[in-house]
Amino acid sequence: MTTMTRHERCRAALAGRPVDRTPTYLPAISCAVASKLLGRKAYGGTGSLHYAEVLAWARGEQAHQEFEEQLFQDMRDVQRALDIDVMRMPWRINRRPTKQLDENTFLFGNPEGVHSVWAYHPPSGDFGVVREVTAYDSPEQWLQETLASEEAAAVNAETSQQKARAGHLAFAKRFGEEFFTISMQGMITAGIDETSLIALALEPELCARRMMAQAQWAITWGRWLLGTGLPTVMLGGGDMATNKGPIYSPESFRQVLLPAYRKTAEELNPLGVHCAFRSDGNLGIGPGTIGEMLFAEAKVPGYAEVDRDAGMTIERLRKAYPELVIWGHVSSAFLASATPQQVKDECHRILDANGPSRYFHSCSNAILQGTPVENVVAMYEVRG
């Protein structure tokens, strides 16, 4: 028996108040797994969704409209089938390719100039860049142009956010009555590709300016979100770690990114806007670590893609940061390889270690292609 609505349950969990059961959240689900769950072809998320959307665009505008309507219906059906409380828009690649090179490969941009080639790998369900021709002669040139663009977007946020705001309002109108709809804005990230990392090493002061521009954009989004009456949740952040640790040093994070995260939290926390940090990998817990900077110094209120396999366990996090809201903690790799009973046992351990609130139950990252549907069902059957 449940005694709370989805919205009541999620708002209580965010505030650390008692809940009738642990609220549930779905970061992303492979299209193949979603199809098995629903017993028909369905769109979900991950690289398989990116490929499906680009393929639809390659077939024309009408095909893309049909794809989008099917995606929205499939999202609703998956949420209902698993009884999920939180609804988010999956990461999409909503771009029309210039050319389809073969069944799985697409070119974006000018074939004779700046362009990128993306390819789908059916066995893994991945879709990514395999070749890129950029317009920049150096990482410094890329940084200068990117900084100018992001500072202009922050200063003119009413204009630069117009499309994203309209999209989120439409998303909430479609799903918000039934589900707790959250936004995926608030990214503050230096990037982890080669160009970004070289720029970070060579021009830390310019990168710090860039992070502050991103912070101002996020703050403006949070203030706008507050005025809409919609759930004031932003899952931002940005990937920056592997299982072995951060990709760049804690000292670089302190100098370049920490001021931006501190400013965002100082502005939005008092308003009740929950802007969480999202990255898998090992951020570290305790003095001198990036985890400590984020959750103790900057007081970022939430943490998503919490990677148990990398050592970011809920037991250690709860001890170090008792008020932190955690978004998902079941290992995606474990979910793909365990038995349903092992999944249930793991979920009970997580919920017992967490306590009654401040946790949204899900896997830490996407539900991967090849994950048994029985395991997915087992994970969401454990509600605390």
Side-chain angles (χ1 to χ4, degrees):
M1 293 292 292
T2 58
T3 59
M4 289 178 158
T5 66
R6 298 193 191 281
H7 284 254
E8 290 169 342
R9 182 177 303 118
C10 292
R11 293 184 192 280
L14 287 169
R17 299 194 303 268
V19 292
D20 60 343
R21 69 181 195 189
T22 305
T24 48
Y25 160 63
L26 177 61
I29 183 170
S30 149
C31 294
V33 180
S35 297
K36 289 181 180 179
L37 176 69
L38 298 181
R40 58 172 172 78
K41 180 181 178 181
Y43 299 124
T46 74
S48 55
L49 177 67
H50 306 161
Y51 168 69
E53 182 154 21
V54 171
L55 181 63
W57 266 124
R59 293 171 176 169
E61 186 146 352
Q62 179 63 34
H64 182 261
Q65 290 176 0
E66 293 171 0
F67 159 86
E68 195 166 54
E69 285 304 312
Q70 187 62 53
L71 170 63
F72 293 151
Q73 184 59 53
D74 294 342
M75 288 170 60
R76 190 188 304 275
D77 290 347
V78 167
Q79 294 269 141
R80 287 174 174 172
L82 296 172
D83 192 15
I84 306 294
D85 294 305
V86 177
M87 171 77 88
R88 56 164 277 192
M89 181 66 77
W91 176 30
R92 295 170 58 183
I93 299 182
N94 192 359
R95 296 170 58 196
R96 190 168 192 164
T98 304
K99 189 176 183 181
Q100 183 172 358
L101 303 180
D102 60 35
E103 182 181 359
N104 296 320
T105 312
F106 305 84
L107 185 145
F108 295 88
N110 179 1
E112 305 303 320
V114 176
H115 68 270
S116 60
V117 176
W118 291 62
Y120 179 60
H121 185 244
S124 65
D126 292 327
F127 184 66
V129 177
V130 294
R131 186 172 74 250
E132 189 168 25
V133 177
T134 75
Y136 307 107
D137 295 327
S138 68
E140 294 93 331
Q141 182 189 13
W142 168 85
L143 178 59
Q144 290 281 1
E145 294 191 21
T146 302
L147 173 62
S149 174
E150 293 186 354
E151 286 187 331
V155 170
N156 302 292
E158 293 296 321
T159 300
S160 65
Q161 292 183 1
Q162 188 173 14
K163 184 176 179 181
R165 290 180 184 185
H168 189 62
L169 288 173
F171 169 71
K173 182 178 180 181
R174 183 183 293 266
F175 298 114
E177 184 175 347
E178 185 173 358
F179 304 104
F180 190 75
T181 52
I182 64 173
S183 80
M184 304 304 291
Q185 302 296 339
M187 300 294 286
I188 302 174
T189 176
I192 56 173
D193 59 281
E194 181 180 0
T195 299
S196 299
L197 291 174
I198 293 173
L200 179 62
L202 295 178
E203 298 286 354
E205 292 183 2
L206 291 183
C207 288
R209 277 179 53 188
R210 182 180 167 225
M211 298 305 97
M212 291 302 288
Q214 293 179 10
Q216 189 55 57
W217 199 98
I219 291 165
T220 304
W221 178 274
R223 290 182 178 278
W224 168 78
L225 196 61
L226 186 68
T228 65
L230 300 174
T232 51
V233 176
M234 306 157 58
L235 295 193
D239 286 339
M240 55 151 297
T242 70
N243 280 11
K244 294 181 179 180
I247 292 172
Y248 42 84
S249 71
E251 186 55 35
S252 290
F253 186 89
R254 178 173 292 282
Q255 292 179 3
V256 176
L257 285 97
L258 182 59
Y261 277 104
R262 181 181 285 117
K263 178 178 176 62
T264 303
E266 286 175 350
E267 293 276 349
L268 295 182
N269 286 1
L271 302 177
V273 178
H274 180 87
C275 188
F277 177 83
R278 182 161 46 101
S279 174
D280 43 22
N282 183 3
L283 305 177
I285 299 171
T289 67
I290 290 174
E292 185 82 357
M293 293 179 215
L294 283 165
F295 307 127
E297 295 185 39
K299 300 190 185 306
V300 171
Y303 178 23
E305 298 184 10
V306 183
D307 201 335
R308 189 176 185 86
D309 291 345
M312 303 300 288
T313 68
I314 207 163
E315 293 85 355
R316 296 177 64 210
L317 287 164
R318 273 287 158 257
K319 183 177 180 180
Y321 318 115
E323 295 188 357
L324 184 66
V325 176
I326 293 173
W327 293 80
H329 197 48
V330 179
S331 161
S332 296
F334 173 81
L335 187 67
S337 60
T339 67
Q341 188 57 54
Q342 287 172 328
V343 170
K344 288 184 178 182
D345 292 343
E346 173 70 357
C347 292
H348 282 298
R349 280 194 294 271
I350 289 171
L351 296 183
D352 289 345
N354 179 78
S357 196
R358 293 195 173 96
Y359 174 66
F360 288 78
H361 185 50
S362 77
C363 55
S364 60
N365 208 299
I367 296 174
L368 304 172
Q369 183 164 299
T371 300
V373 170
E374 296 81 6
N375 288 6
V376 179
V377 172
M379 175 174 66
Y380 286 116
E381 282 180 345
V382 179
R383 304 285 175 140

